[in-house]
Amino acid sequence: MPGINWDDPFCGEGNNCFRIGTDPAGNAYIAVAGQEDHYLTDTREAPRTLIHDIKAGKADHLL
């Protein structure tokens, strides 16, 4: 995955770790830590909106 700059993993309980990355073209990536070759990608705005909505409580029903 040349060009993807991965952040340190975000981990919950146990081994539930995810990594977020970006590339120079402005794309954002998310992958399970250790499996960065199998990632989801979108514009940077997509994960920004997701995080904003989670903080606003729109995913509380999943807890």
Side-chain angles (χ1 to χ4, degrees), residues 12-52:
E13 294 181 25
N15 295 324
N16 300 321
C17 299
F18 294 91
R19 295 187 78 184
I20 295 174
T22 56
D23 69 16
N27 299 306
Y29 301 81
I30 186 169
V32 173
Q35 298 181 21
E36 289 81 0
D37 54 335
H38 300 287
Y39 53 79
L40 296 173
T41 186
D42 207 324
T43 64
R44 288 186 185 190
E45 184 60 29
R48 182 178 293 125
T49 301
L50 175 66
I51 291 167
H52 176 75

